[in-house]
Amino acid sequence: MPHANTHKHIRIHKDVAAALAKGTPVVALETAVLTHGLPRHAVPTLRDISNVWNETLPAHVALAMAMEHTVRDGGATPATCAVIDGELVIGLTAQELETLAAHANPMKLSARDLAGAMHSAATGGLTVAATLSACAAAEIRVFATGGIGGVHRGWNNSLDISADLAALARARVITVCAGAKSILDLPATLEALDSLGVPVIGIHTQHFPCFLSPPDATLSLTSSVDNAADIAAIARTHWALGHHSGVLAVQACPAAHAIARDEFEMWYDATEVAARTQSVKGPDVTPFLLSHLAQLSGGKTLRANVALLLHNARTAAEISTKM
Ligand code: PSU
Ligand code: MN
């Protein structure tokens, strides 16, 4: 089978390729959060969120740069993934990151969209599902995101189940996240992960984290560790057993920024009504809900989202150094 970097439309950054060849730590990062998850303007209230946050930059660029910075500080090489002019780039340069961030109308690319987008010279950000495809192509084993997609509320009326779940079931990658986005049906999402055979391991939590809100005490996990390094050991065992699925490592949003569940639900209800009134559908649902929530909450959901993203990048770097 030809290796990924021999495909004419796949390019691995030389630093990422060198790290992979030497077997030093690499952490993959997604870009749908940049193109479709965060505001494209500077957000001064995020000034104090982290010492690696550049407040003068638009929030989506500041986030991508802060994620990479955090991964490097943790001793790993970041590989931010996107499709630029039809090329699947694994490890964007600073210039490519700028190009993607400044693009007037970038696509939101899931796993199913990749080949078509590469064929038509498109540019877009990669969802969790598509980033897992990139990880598989380059044999990257650790990936950090915010909250994965999952089973949407009202799935019995409209079968909206994120392709992230199927992707987690077929790539040998550890995905570090704060559970699934709380805009979803979380019990159904956890059941789906169970059906797909994806181990869900809590780090410092016995319960499934609710993205921006504290973990849900009604959603127990069967496995939990209190040391990030243990995740690497569990994944090695999982793969030694011959399993081809990923491992989902979940940790709570940092407490200082987490949003009480009842407060979140209040904003969610209003957001859901707006989405229904405006007939938002398919891949547009998640970006619509996230931006509407940020508006309604006066930026509180955005702050929690950024805090947990950086927290996950830090943990992913730590895990990657133990692989
Ligand atoms: N996590 C965040 N913000 C985001 C996303 C995740 O904190 O914007 C993105 C991820 O790229 C994820 C996608 O894969 O939302 C899920 O979209 P959908 O529900 O349409 O599959
Ligand atoms: Mn969807």
Side-chain angles (χ1 to χ4, degrees), residues 76-118:
T77 303
T80 303
C81 302
V83 173
I84 311 278
D85 296 332
E87 203 174 21
L88 173 60
V89 185
I90 300 173
L92 298 180
T93 62
Q95 183 57 55
E96 285 163 343
L97 198 75
E98 293 287 330
T99 304
L100 181 65
H103 196 284
N105 194 17
M107 295 178 76
K108 172 180 165 184
L109 302 172
S110 189
R112 62 158 193 195
D113 307 313
L114 281 176
M118 290 160 74

mmCIF file of all heavy atoms in Angstrom, residues 76-118:
data_model
loop_
_atom_site.group_PDB
_atom_site.id
_atom_site.type_symbol
_atom_site.label_atom_id
_atom_site.label_comp_id
_atom_site.label_asym_id
_atom_site.label_seq_id
_atom_site.Cartn_x
_atom_site.Cartn_y
_atom_site.Cartn_z
ATOM 1 N N ALA A 76 5.704 18.029 22.283
ATOM 2 C CA ALA A 76 5.296 17.308 21.079
ATOM 3 C C ALA A 76 5.286 18.260 19.877
ATOM 4 O O ALA A 76 5.292 19.477 20.036
ATOM 5 C CB ALA A 76 3.923 16.684 21.272
ATOM 6 N N THR A 77 5.269 17.669 18.678
ATOM 7 C CA THR A 77 5.167 18.454 17.449
ATOM 8 C C THR A 77 3.699 18.532 17.054
ATOM 9 O O THR A 77 3.048 17.500 16.901
ATOM 10 C CB THR A 77 5.961 17.776 16.312
ATOM 11 O OG1 THR A 77 7.324 17.623 16.738
ATOM 12 C CG2 THR A 77 5.920 18.595 15.036
ATOM 13 N N PRO A 78 3.150 19.761 16.889
ATOM 14 C CA PRO A 78 1.748 19.864 16.468
ATOM 15 C C PRO A 78 1.597 19.603 14.974
ATOM 16 O O PRO A 78 2.468 19.993 14.191
ATOM 17 C CB PRO A 78 1.384 21.316 16.799
ATOM 18 C CG PRO A 78 2.681 22.063 16.784
ATOM 19 C CD PRO A 78 3.772 21.080 17.119
ATOM 20 N N ALA A 79 0.499 18.938 14.608
ATOM 21 C CA ALA A 79 0.176 18.715 13.189
ATOM 22 C C ALA A 79 -1.260 19.195 12.986
ATOM 23 O O ALA A 79 -2.216 18.446 13.166
ATOM 24 C CB ALA A 79 0.325 17.247 12.836
ATOM 25 N N THR A 80 -1.403 20.483 12.660
ATOM 26 C CA THR A 80 -2.724 21.045 12.394
ATOM 27 C C THR A 80 -3.108 20.672 10.966
ATOM 28 O O THR A 80 -2.318 20.877 10.050
ATOM 29 C CB THR A 80 -2.697 22.571 12.590
ATOM 30 O OG1 THR A 80 -2.255 22.843 13.931
ATOM 31 C CG2 THR A 80 -4.076 23.184 12.404
ATOM 32 N N CYS A 81 -4.305 20.106 10.801
ATOM 33 C CA CYS A 81 -4.673 19.507 9.511
ATOM 34 C C CYS A 81 -5.795 20.266 8.813
ATOM 35 O O CYS A 81 -6.772 20.669 9.440
ATOM 36 C CB CYS A 81 -5.128 18.065 9.737
ATOM 37 S SG CYS A 81 -3.895 17.029 10.536
ATOM 38 N N ALA A 82 -5.664 20.448 7.500
ATOM 39 C CA ALA A 82 -6.698 21.120 6.710
ATOM 40 C C ALA A 82 -6.520 20.745 5.252
ATOM 41 O O ALA A 82 -5.497 20.162 4.873
ATOM 42 C CB ALA A 82 -6.584 22.637 6.872
ATOM 43 N N VAL A 83 -7.502 21.080 4.430
ATOM 44 C CA VAL A 83 -7.341 20.971 2.981
ATOM 45 C C VAL A 83 -7.159 22.380 2.437
ATOM 46 O O VAL A 83 -7.998 23.255 2.662
ATOM 47 C CB VAL A 83 -8.546 20.271 2.313
ATOM 48 C CG1 VAL A 83 -8.423 20.330 0.792
ATOM 49 C CG2 VAL A 83 -8.638 18.810 2.762
ATOM 50 N N ILE A 84 -6.018 22.602 1.781
ATOM 51 C CA ILE A 84 -5.701 23.911 1.200
ATOM 52 C C ILE A 84 -5.553 23.732 -0.313
ATOM 53 O O ILE A 84 -4.676 22.976 -0.754
ATOM 54 C CB ILE A 84 -4.373 24.482 1.771
ATOM 55 C CG1 ILE A 84 -4.333 24.420 3.300
ATOM 56 C CG2 ILE A 84 -4.121 25.898 1.244
ATOM 57 C CD1 ILE A 84 -5.036 25.528 4.022
ATOM 58 N N ASP A 85 -6.387 24.409 -1.063
ATOM 59 C CA ASP A 85 -6.352 24.302 -2.530
ATOM 60 C C ASP A 85 -6.256 22.846 -2.995
ATOM 61 O O ASP A 85 -5.462 22.516 -3.879
ATOM 62 C CB ASP A 85 -5.162 25.106 -3.103
ATOM 63 C CG ASP A 85 -5.306 26.599 -2.832
ATOM 64 O OD1 ASP A 85 -6.458 27.077 -2.721
ATOM 65 O OD2 ASP A 85 -4.270 27.288 -2.718
ATOM 66 N N GLY A 86 -7.040 21.995 -2.371
ATOM 67 C CA GLY A 86 -7.112 20.610 -2.811
ATOM 68 C C GLY A 86 -6.040 19.695 -2.252
ATOM 69 O O GLY A 86 -6.031 18.494 -2.541
ATOM 70 N N GLU A 87 -5.161 20.247 -1.435
ATOM 71 C CA GLU A 87 -4.112 19.412 -0.864
ATOM 72 C C GLU A 87 -4.426 19.137 0.608
ATOM 73 O O GLU A 87 -4.698 20.075 1.365
ATOM 74 C CB GLU A 87 -2.779 20.156 -0.980
ATOM 75 C CG GLU A 87 -1.593 19.245 -0.958
ATOM 76 C CD GLU A 87 -0.289 20.004 -1.214
ATOM 77 O OE1 GLU A 87 -0.241 21.237 -1.023
ATOM 78 O OE2 GLU A 87 0.677 19.354 -1.589
ATOM 79 N N LEU A 88 -4.423 17.869 0.996
ATOM 80 C CA LEU A 88 -4.590 17.553 2.421
ATOM 81 C C LEU A 88 -3.248 17.826 3.091
ATOM 82 O O LEU A 88 -2.269 17.119 2.842
ATOM 83 C CB LEU A 88 -4.999 16.088 2.616
ATOM 84 C CG LEU A 88 -5.030 15.595 4.070
ATOM 85 C CD1 LEU A 88 -6.010 16.399 4.929
ATOM 86 C CD2 LEU A 88 -5.384 14.105 4.130
ATOM 87 N N VAL A 89 -3.217 18.872 3.917
ATOM 88 C CA VAL A 89 -1.966 19.266 4.560
ATOM 89 C C VAL A 89 -1.991 18.805 6.009
ATOM 90 O O VAL A 89 -2.911 19.139 6.760
ATOM 91 C CB VAL A 89 -1.748 20.796 4.483
ATOM 92 C CG1 VAL A 89 -0.383 21.167 5.040
ATOM 93 C CG2 VAL A 89 -1.884 21.283 3.047
ATOM 94 N N ILE A 90 -0.989 18.027 6.389
ATOM 95 C CA ILE A 90 -0.886 17.495 7.743
ATOM 96 C C ILE A 90 0.276 18.236 8.393
ATOM 97 O O ILE A 90 1.442 17.916 8.175
ATOM 98 C CB ILE A 90 -0.687 15.960 7.694
ATOM 99 C CG1 ILE A 90 -1.890 15.318 6.971
ATOM 100 C CG2 ILE A 90 -0.495 15.385 9.098
ATOM 101 C CD1 ILE A 90 -1.769 13.838 6.698
ATOM 102 N N GLY A 91 -0.065 19.283 9.161
ATOM 103 C CA GLY A 91 0.958 20.174 9.706
ATOM 104 C C GLY A 91 1.018 21.450 8.886
ATOM 105 O O GLY A 91 1.860 21.595 7.994
ATOM 106 N N LEU A 92 0.106 22.380 9.155
ATOM 107 C CA LEU A 92 0.062 23.640 8.404
ATOM 108 C C LEU A 92 1.249 24.516 8.778
ATOM 109 O O LEU A 92 1.670 24.539 9.937
ATOM 110 C CB LEU A 92 -1.217 24.417 8.736
ATOM 111 C CG LEU A 92 -2.580 23.811 8.419
ATOM 112 C CD1 LEU A 92 -3.685 24.779 8.842
ATOM 113 C CD2 LEU A 92 -2.690 23.496 6.937
ATOM 114 N N THR A 93 1.766 25.262 7.803
ATOM 115 C CA THR A 93 2.737 26.312 8.126
ATOM 116 C C THR A 93 1.940 27.509 8.650
ATOM 117 O O THR A 93 0.708 27.567 8.486
ATOM 118 C CB THR A 93 3.503 26.761 6.865
ATOM 119 O OG1 THR A 93 2.541 27.313 5.945
ATOM 120 C CG2 THR A 93 4.233 25.598 6.205
ATOM 121 N N ALA A 94 2.645 28.475 9.248
ATOM 122 C CA ALA A 94 1.983 29.685 9.751
ATOM 123 C C ALA A 94 1.262 30.388 8.602
ATOM 124 O O ALA A 94 0.145 30.898 8.759
ATOM 125 C CB ALA A 94 3.005 30.604 10.408
ATOM 126 N N GLN A 95 1.900 30.378 7.428
ATOM 127 C CA GLN A 95 1.309 31.006 6.246
ATOM 128 C C GLN A 95 0.003 30.314 5.830
ATOM 129 O O GLN A 95 -0.990 30.962 5.513
ATOM 130 C CB GLN A 95 2.344 30.968 5.099
ATOM 131 C CG GLN A 95 1.903 31.649 3.830
ATOM 132 C CD GLN A 95 1.520 33.109 4.065
ATOM 133 O OE1 GLN A 95 2.322 33.875 4.596
ATOM 134 N NE2 GLN A 95 0.294 33.475 3.703
ATOM 135 N N GLU A 96 0.015 28.983 5.866
ATOM 136 C CA GLU A 96 -1.183 28.221 5.484
ATOM 137 C C GLU A 96 -2.317 28.434 6.480
ATOM 138 O O GLU A 96 -3.494 28.492 6.111
ATOM 139 C CB GLU A 96 -0.838 26.731 5.350
ATOM 140 C CG GLU A 96 -0.056 26.436 4.079
ATOM 141 C CD GLU A 96 0.652 25.091 4.108
ATOM 142 O OE1 GLU A 96 0.821 24.501 5.205
ATOM 143 O OE2 GLU A 96 1.074 24.650 3.027
ATOM 144 N N LEU A 97 -1.934 28.563 7.745
ATOM 145 C CA LEU A 97 -2.936 28.830 8.776
ATOM 146 C C LEU A 97 -3.625 30.168 8.507
ATOM 147 O O LEU A 97 -4.854 30.288 8.580
ATOM 148 C CB LEU A 97 -2.244 28.855 10.143
ATOM 149 C CG LEU A 97 -3.143 28.695 11.354
ATOM 150 C CD1 LEU A 97 -3.584 27.248 11.482
ATOM 151 C CD2 LEU A 97 -2.410 29.121 12.600
ATOM 152 N N GLU A 98 -2.814 31.158 8.134
ATOM 153 C CA GLU A 98 -3.347 32.489 7.781
ATOM 154 C C GLU A 98 -4.294 32.394 6.584
ATOM 155 O O GLU A 98 -5.376 32.978 6.582
ATOM 156 C CB GLU A 98 -2.196 33.448 7.415
ATOM 157 C CG GLU A 98 -1.275 33.816 8.562
ATOM 158 C CD GLU A 98 -1.939 34.768 9.548
ATOM 159 O OE1 GLU A 98 -2.798 35.556 9.114
ATOM 160 O OE2 GLU A 98 -1.604 34.701 10.749
ATOM 161 N N THR A 99 -3.846 31.639 5.570
ATOM 162 C CA THR A 99 -4.658 31.477 4.355
ATOM 163 C C THR A 99 -6.022 30.881 4.695
ATOM 164 O O THR A 99 -7.063 31.358 4.242
ATOM 165 C CB THR A 99 -3.931 30.540 3.356
ATOM 166 O OG1 THR A 99 -2.646 31.091 3.105
ATOM 167 C CG2 THR A 99 -4.702 30.380 2.060
ATOM 168 N N LEU A 100 -6.003 29.831 5.505
ATOM 169 C CA LEU A 100 -7.246 29.162 5.884
ATOM 170 C C LEU A 100 -8.145 30.106 6.683
ATOM 171 O O LEU A 100 -9.348 30.203 6.437
ATOM 172 C CB LEU A 100 -6.925 27.907 6.705
ATOM 173 C CG LEU A 100 -8.126 27.079 7.156
ATOM 174 C CD1 LEU A 100 -8.853 26.470 5.964
ATOM 175 C CD2 LEU A 100 -7.667 25.970 8.115
ATOM 176 N N ALA A 101 -7.533 30.807 7.646
ATOM 177 C CA ALA A 101 -8.306 31.688 8.526
ATOM 178 C C ALA A 101 -8.909 32.860 7.764
ATOM 179 O O ALA A 101 -9.995 33.335 8.098
ATOM 180 C CB ALA A 101 -7.413 32.192 9.656
ATOM 181 N N ALA A 102 -8.200 33.315 6.745
ATOM 182 C CA ALA A 102 -8.654 34.490 5.992
ATOM 183 C C ALA A 102 -9.594 34.116 4.846
ATOM 184 O O ALA A 102 -10.199 34.991 4.230
ATOM 185 C CB ALA A 102 -7.444 35.245 5.444
ATOM 186 N N HIS A 103 -9.721 32.838 4.561
ATOM 187 C CA HIS A 103 -10.552 32.394 3.438
ATOM 188 C C HIS A 103 -11.990 32.879 3.633
ATOM 189 O O HIS A 103 -12.555 32.752 4.717
ATOM 190 C CB HIS A 103 -10.518 30.871 3.349
ATOM 191 C CG HIS A 103 -11.006 30.341 2.040
ATOM 192 N ND1 HIS A 103 -12.333 30.297 1.698
ATOM 193 C CD2 HIS A 103 -10.324 29.844 0.973
ATOM 194 C CE1 HIS A 103 -12.451 29.786 0.486
ATOM 195 N NE2 HIS A 103 -11.250 29.505 0.026
ATOM 196 N N ALA A 104 -12.577 33.429 2.569
ATOM 197 C CA ALA A 104 -13.905 34.044 2.690
ATOM 198 C C ALA A 104 -14.998 33.014 2.979
ATOM 199 O O ALA A 104 -15.951 33.292 3.704
ATOM 200 C CB ALA A 104 -14.230 34.803 1.410
ATOM 201 N N ASN A 105 -14.844 31.817 2.428
ATOM 202 C CA ASN A 105 -15.924 30.840 2.529
ATOM 203 C C ASN A 105 -15.376 29.411 2.600
ATOM 204 O O ASN A 105 -15.612 28.602 1.707
ATOM 205 C CB ASN A 105 -16.836 31.022 1.299
ATOM 206 C CG ASN A 105 -18.152 30.321 1.472
ATOM 207 O OD1 ASN A 105 -18.532 29.959 2.583
ATOM 208 N ND2 ASN A 105 -18.838 30.094 0.360
ATOM 209 N N PRO A 106 -14.616 29.105 3.665
ATOM 210 C CA PRO A 106 -13.993 27.781 3.735
ATOM 211 C C PRO A 106 -15.048 26.698 3.920
ATOM 212 O O PRO A 106 -16.110 26.953 4.485
ATOM 213 C CB PRO A 106 -13.102 27.878 4.972
ATOM 214 C CG PRO A 106 -13.766 28.904 5.829
ATOM 215 C CD PRO A 106 -14.413 29.882 4.892
ATOM 216 N N MET A 107 -14.771 25.497 3.430
ATOM 217 C CA MET A 107 -15.713 24.392 3.614
ATOM 218 C C MET A 107 -15.509 23.757 4.985
ATOM 219 O O MET A 107 -14.444 23.872 5.582
ATOM 220 C CB MET A 107 -15.499 23.345 2.523
ATOM 221 C CG MET A 107 -15.823 23.860 1.125
ATOM 222 S SD MET A 107 -15.487 22.611 -0.126
ATOM 223 C CE MET A 107 -16.904 21.526 0.119
ATOM 224 N N LYS A 108 -16.561 23.111 5.471
ATOM 225 C CA LYS A 108 -16.450 22.283 6.677
ATOM 226 C C LYS A 108 -16.379 20.849 6.178
ATOM 227 O O LYS A 108 -17.354 20.314 5.657
ATOM 228 C CB LYS A 108 -17.674 22.492 7.575
ATOM 229 C CG LYS A 108 -17.744 21.529 8.764
ATOM 230 C CD LYS A 108 -18.972 21.783 9.616
ATOM 231 C CE LYS A 108 -19.246 20.617 10.553
ATOM 232 N NZ LYS A 108 -20.483 20.798 11.338
ATOM 233 N N LEU A 109 -15.200 20.248 6.298
ATOM 234 C CA LEU A 109 -14.975 18.957 5.669
ATOM 235 C C LEU A 109 -14.986 17.821 6.668
ATOM 236 O O LEU A 109 -14.187 17.779 7.601
ATOM 237 C CB LEU A 109 -13.632 18.979 4.924
ATOM 238 C CG LEU A 109 -13.495 20.070 3.842
ATOM 239 C CD1 LEU A 109 -12.058 20.123 3.327
ATOM 240 C CD2 LEU A 109 -14.486 19.812 2.706
ATOM 241 N N SER A 110 -15.896 16.882 6.450
ATOM 242 C CA SER A 110 -15.908 15.659 7.227
ATOM 243 C C SER A 110 -15.203 14.570 6.413
ATOM 244 O O SER A 110 -14.762 14.821 5.284
ATOM 245 C CB SER A 110 -17.356 15.283 7.560
ATOM 246 O OG SER A 110 -17.360 14.214 8.496
ATOM 247 N N ALA A 111 -15.097 13.380 6.981
ATOM 248 C CA ALA A 111 -14.347 12.309 6.312
ATOM 249 C C ALA A 111 -14.855 12.050 4.888
ATOM 250 O O ALA A 111 -14.079 11.927 3.943
ATOM 251 C CB ALA A 111 -14.413 11.032 7.147
ATOM 252 N N ARG A 112 -16.179 12.029 4.743
ATOM 253 C CA ARG A 112 -16.764 11.718 3.428
ATOM 254 C C ARG A 112 -16.444 12.793 2.391
ATOM 255 O O ARG A 112 -16.505 12.548 1.186
ATOM 256 C CB ARG A 112 -18.287 11.602 3.549
ATOM 257 C CG ARG A 112 -18.894 12.923 4.003
ATOM 258 C CD ARG A 112 -20.348 13.128 3.679
ATOM 259 N NE ARG A 112 -20.678 14.534 3.894
ATOM 260 C CZ ARG A 112 -21.893 14.998 3.980
ATOM 261 N NH1 ARG A 112 -22.907 14.171 3.900
ATOM 262 N NH2 ARG A 112 -22.101 16.287 4.158
ATOM 263 N N ASP A 113 -16.156 14.009 2.847
ATOM 264 C CA ASP A 113 -15.961 15.132 1.922
ATOM 265 C C ASP A 113 -14.535 15.249 1.404
ATOM 266 O O ASP A 113 -14.278 15.981 0.440
ATOM 267 C CB ASP A 113 -16.298 16.460 2.636
ATOM 268 C CG ASP A 113 -17.669 16.441 3.270
ATOM 269 O OD1 ASP A 113 -18.618 16.017 2.579
ATOM 270 O OD2 ASP A 113 -17.794 16.834 4.449
ATOM 271 N N LEU A 114 -13.599 14.595 2.073
ATOM 272 C CA LEU A 114 -12.182 14.845 1.790
ATOM 273 C C LEU A 114 -11.783 14.615 0.339
ATOM 274 O O LEU A 114 -11.226 15.504 -0.299
ATOM 275 C CB LEU A 114 -11.295 13.983 2.699
ATOM 276 C CG LEU A 114 -11.110 14.485 4.131
ATOM 277 C CD1 LEU A 114 -10.281 13.476 4.927
ATOM 278 C CD2 LEU A 114 -10.471 15.862 4.148
ATOM 279 N N ALA A 115 -12.066 13.424 -0.164
ATOM 280 C CA ALA A 115 -11.605 13.084 -1.518
ATOM 281 C C ALA A 115 -12.194 14.044 -2.551
ATOM 282 O O ALA A 115 -11.483 14.523 -3.444
ATOM 283 C CB ALA A 115 -11.949 11.634 -1.849
ATOM 284 N N GLY A 116 -13.467 14.365 -2.406
ATOM 285 C CA GLY A 116 -14.112 15.299 -3.340
ATOM 286 C C GLY A 116 -13.489 16.675 -3.271
ATOM 287 O O GLY A 116 -13.225 17.306 -4.305
ATOM 288 N N ALA A 117 -13.232 17.133 -2.052
ATOM 289 C CA ALA A 117 -12.640 18.470 -1.867
ATOM 290 C C ALA A 117 -11.232 18.506 -2.457
ATOM 291 O O ALA A 117 -10.810 19.501 -3.051
ATOM 292 C CB ALA A 117 -12.599 18.821 -0.384
ATOM 293 N N MET A 118 -10.500 17.407 -2.306
ATOM 294 C CA MET A 118 -9.133 17.345 -2.834
ATOM 295 C C MET A 118 -9.160 17.316 -4.363
ATOM 296 O O MET A 118 -8.304 17.895 -5.030
ATOM 297 C CB MET A 118 -8.409 16.111 -2.267
ATOM 298 C CG MET A 118 -8.113 16.261 -0.767
ATOM 299 S SD MET A 118 -7.807 14.697 0.082
ATOM 300 C CE MET A 118 -6.165 14.289 -0.488
#
